Amino acid sequence: MNSLIDKYNIPGPRYTSYPTVPYWDEQNFTSEQWQHTVIRSFAESNAEEGISIYIHLPFCENLCTFCACHKRITKRHSVETPYIESVLNEWKLYLELFKKSAIQKPKLKELHLGGGTPTFFSVENLRYLLEGLFETVEIADTPEFSFEGHPNNTSYQHLKTLYDLGFRRVSFGVQDYNEKVQKAINRVQPFENVSRVTNWAREIGYQSISHDLVFGLPHQTWEGMEHTIRKTLELKPDRLAFYSYAHVPWVKGVGQRGFDEEDLPSGEEKRKLYEKGKKLLEELGYIEIGMDHFSLPTDDLYQSQISGRLHRNFMGYTTGKTQLMIGLGMSAISDSWYAFAQNEKSVEEYQQRVAKGELPVFRGHILNQEDLFIRRHILNLMCQLETEIEPDEVPDYLLTSLPRLVELQNDGLVNFTENNIKITEKGRAFTRNVAMVFDLRMLRKQPETRIFSMTV
Ligand SMILES: C[S@@+](CC[C@H](N)C(=O)[O-])C[C@H]1O[C@@H](n2cnc3c(N)ncnc32)[C@H](O)[C@@H]1O
Ligand code: SF4
């Protein structure tokens, strides 16, 4: 396994989209085209499957020094109200666009509050935001509403209010329970806090409770990781995200410089943390889903994998696909299936653009036919670990990638036939490497600087 790690542990995308953000063709993107694809996608999909909304709530009181999310650190809660007003105003701009299709009211199927820290916001402000949104939509019969809660500041009232507003899924950031690791990442968070919010969520009736763990953090050892997993399992979350630590200090600046490079486990040590962690989780009844995720067989995530409904987008894995996902808030990314668009990455610029009555997108990508083809296969690999290609649709570039596939097969990571590529159990850890074989935009032009985290 070690030589495989040496060979395949290279910088690579996590494929929450194809093309990946650094390969977006920003020159040929305009807000008008974006709006056009939104209207088209809305008209095509709203009546049947409904739409998804992602709301980015960026504020956190303290900086965790490992964090790669788009956030703004502040203790001033006066930022809440103007931010929420901007989000509601941005939403109104989309409502105006929807009116250009024959359908008037959006059907809301999926809603996710992410961050930053959604529970930085007061219960009253969250209620104001959500009630403002809900009065403009029809809620689907089986809505899927979820949010990210920080164990240190999620209150019983947060959980109860969001439950009453229809939320049934919550994920809590745990990362690691060892004091030395917590200090290095500037996130001191005792087990009692996680236990308290998990028990409240269960008592209130949440159907799916998830914990985020991260492997590869500074000072992590297997003994410590085992301790974290065993403590986690005392609370039996329905799902677990087991993320590989993405060390991207060149993107996030000082935030990740709270520890030294030598405090990080080596590539090989990191892979062992994952392998052993996975084994332990499986012994304890969890099933690995796609990449980075584990679920109990009773959870919807597992059910959606078996039924082939599992989908992946900027929110990570989701239990179903909607064609149109609108991302609201600073840095949020939207997906109309035919195009992607990202909002301004600073709170101020985001708010200024919305105040001017403009959709606050600053870059994006319009997908061509080739992108749509590749996107479909990369999605299949990331969700089902397998994809079927009709022999007459195999593009030329894939034929030139054949030696890479043969190599992956010789290493036991994939099996392929004329019209099928399947990732093996051994290859699961290298899913990103397999997807890269399809990534035409990256094959054409390798990045000139480090832009992706390591694949393993
Ligand atoms: C927005 S946070 C979750 C909500 C809340 N802010 C909290 O920290 O509890 C999303 C999750 O992303 C993961 N994450 C953040 N930075 C990461 C990185 N550099 N590598 C891997 N995972 C990371 C963490 O597991 C974190 O819980
Ligand atoms: S991990 Fe969560 S709380 Fe910590 S800085 Fe990132 S978004 Fe904020």
Side-chain angles (χ1 to χ4, degrees), residues 148-260:
E148 294 167 17
H150 193 312
N152 285 359
N153 68 11
T154 302
S155 65
Y156 183 88
Q157 217 41 51
H158 275 122
L159 287 160
K160 180 75 174 82
T161 303
L162 290 170
Y163 182 87
D164 292 342
L165 287 163
F167 287 72
R168 294 293 178 270
R169 294 183 189 154
V170 55
S171 62
F172 294 116
V174 172
Q175 330 311 349
D176 187 294
Y177 282 120
N178 296 280
E179 220 180 300
K180 191 169 179 191
V181 178
Q182 291 197 355
K183 283 200 173 132
I185 61 172
N186 193 36
R187 185 182 173 110
V188 174
Q189 177 179 284
F191 175 74
E192 292 64 45
N193 291 8
V194 185
S195 154
R196 185 179 59 224
V197 291
T198 303
N199 291 333
W200 279 339
R202 197 155 279 143
E203 196 184 300
I204 291 169
Y206 280 81
Q207 283 156 7
S208 178
I209 301 168
S210 182
H211 286 184
D212 299 341
L213 303 183
V214 177
F215 64 91
L217 291 171
H219 305 299
Q220 259 178 352
T221 58
W222 168 243
E223 289 65 38
M225 191 83 246
E226 182 174 3
H227 168 72
T228 294
I229 294 179
R230 291 200 184 273
K231 288 307 276 179
T232 300
L233 296 191
E234 282 178 26
L235 303 173
K236 256 209 169 270
D238 304 276
R239 288 183 200 178
L240 274 167
F242 193 39
Y243 292 122
S244 165
Y245 167 52
H247 187 54
V248 286
W250 61 90
V251 178
K252 298 292 158 187
V254 291
Q256 295 205 338
R257 290 277 179 222
F259 43 85
D260 293 325

Side-chain angles (χ1 to χ4, degrees), residues 12-18 20 291 312-313 378-379 382 431-433 435-439 442:
R14 300 176 56 76
Y15 293 112
T16 47
S17 74
Y18 181 82
T20 53
M291 205 182 71
R312 183 168 173 83
N313 58 25
I378 288 186
L379 256 179
M382 300 302 286
T431 302
R432 289 159 73 179
N433 300 76
M436 280 159 77
V437 172
F438 278 83
D439 189 335
M442 190 147 120

Side-chain angles (χ1 to χ4, degrees), residues 5-15 20 22-23 244-248 250 270 404 430-437 439 442-443 445-456:
I5 291 165
D6 292 340
K7 182 167 169 184
Y8 290 107
N9 192 17
I10 54 172
R14 300 176 56 76
Y15 293 112
T20 53
Y23 284 93
S244 165
Y245 167 52
H247 187 54
V248 286
W250 61 90
K270 189 176 176 188
R404 296 178 71 187
F430 302 93
T431 302
R432 289 159 73 179
N433 300 76
V434 182
M436 280 159 77
V437 172
D439 189 335
M442 190 147 120
L443 290 169
K445 190 172 183 292
Q446 288 297 314
E448 280 154 20
T449 53
R450 270 296 296 279
I451 46 177
F452 295 117
S453 59
M454 304 298 270
T455 52
V456 180

Side-chain angles (χ1 to χ4, degrees), residues 222-427:
W222 168 243
E223 289 65 38
M225 191 83 246
E226 182 174 3
H227 168 72
T228 294
I229 294 179
R230 291 200 184 273
K231 288 307 276 179
T232 300
L233 296 191
E234 282 178 26
L235 303 173
K236 256 209 169 270
D238 304 276
R239 288 183 200 178
L240 274 167
F242 193 39
Y243 292 122
S244 165
Y245 167 52
H247 187 54
V248 286
W250 61 90
V251 178
K252 298 292 158 187
V254 291
Q256 295 205 338
R257 290 277 179 222
F259 43 85
D260 293 325
E261 304 280 320
E262 59 265 30
D263 297 331
L264 296 170
S266 66
E268 191 186 321
E269 286 164 344
K270 189 176 176 188
R271 179 61 13 200
K272 279 203 184 122
L273 292 176
Y274 164 76
E275 292 295 342
K276 289 184 171 180
K278 167 185 156 100
K279 190 156 169 273
L280 183 58
L281 286 169
E282 287 177 343
E283 277 165 20
L284 297 169
Y286 287 80
I287 299 163
E288 192 169 21
I289 309 289
M291 205 182 71
D292 312 324
H293 287 74
F294 289 82
S295 117
L296 288 176
T298 42
D299 192 87
D300 232 22
L301 200 65
Y302 175 63
Q303 301 300 333
S304 68
Q305 183 174 50
I306 339 186
S307 64
R309 281 181 293 123
L310 188 69
H311 182 58
R312 183 168 173 83
N313 58 25
F314 291 102
M315 298 188 274
Y317 284 105
T318 63
T319 52
K321 171 177 170 277
T322 52
Q323 185 172 308
L324 179 61
M325 186 185 90
I326 302 293
L328 304 173
M330 76 75 129
S331 80
I333 298 180
S334 303
D335 176 358
S336 66
W337 196 252
Y338 304 109
F340 300 117
Q342 182 169 28
N343 281 351
E344 296 287 357
K345 289 202 275 185
S346 92
V347 174
E348 292 73 16
E349 276 168 287
Y350 164 72
Q351 293 187 322
Q352 282 157 12
R353 294 275 309 272
V354 176
K356 282 196 238 157
E358 290 172 20
L359 278 188
V361 300
F362 83 103
R363 64 172 171 180
H365 178 90
I366 310 290
L367 283 89
N368 60 28
Q369 286 305 317
E370 198 173 60
D371 291 333
L372 287 165
F373 167 87
I374 298 169
R375 176 184 195 179
R376 181 158 55 86
H377 291 293
I378 288 186
L379 256 179
N380 289 344
L381 288 170
M382 300 302 286
C383 296
Q384 310 301 335
L385 305 178
E386 170 168 21
T387 195
E388 303 273 337
I389 307 183
E390 292 304 318
D392 61 356
E393 63 164 5
V394 178
D396 289 347
Y397 86 90
L398 213 52
L399 293 176
T400 54
S401 289
L402 212 56
R404 296 178 71 187
L405 269 181
V406 171
E407 202 173 344
L408 286 161
Q409 178 152 275
N410 290 344
D411 285 329
L413 307 183
V414 298
N415 283 318
F416 73 93
T417 61
E418 205 181 34
N419 60 352
N420 175 283
I421 297 173
K422 194 173 166 76
I423 298 173
T424 62
E425 212 31 56
K426 186 174 163 196

Side-chain angles (χ1 to χ4, degrees), residues 60 62-64 66-67 69 71 73 115-117 150 175 187:
C60 305
N62 298 300
L63 173 67
C64 311
F66 77 104
C67 179
C69 305
K71 71 264 171 202
I73 309 299
T117 301
H150 193 312
Q175 330 311 349
R187 185 182 173 110

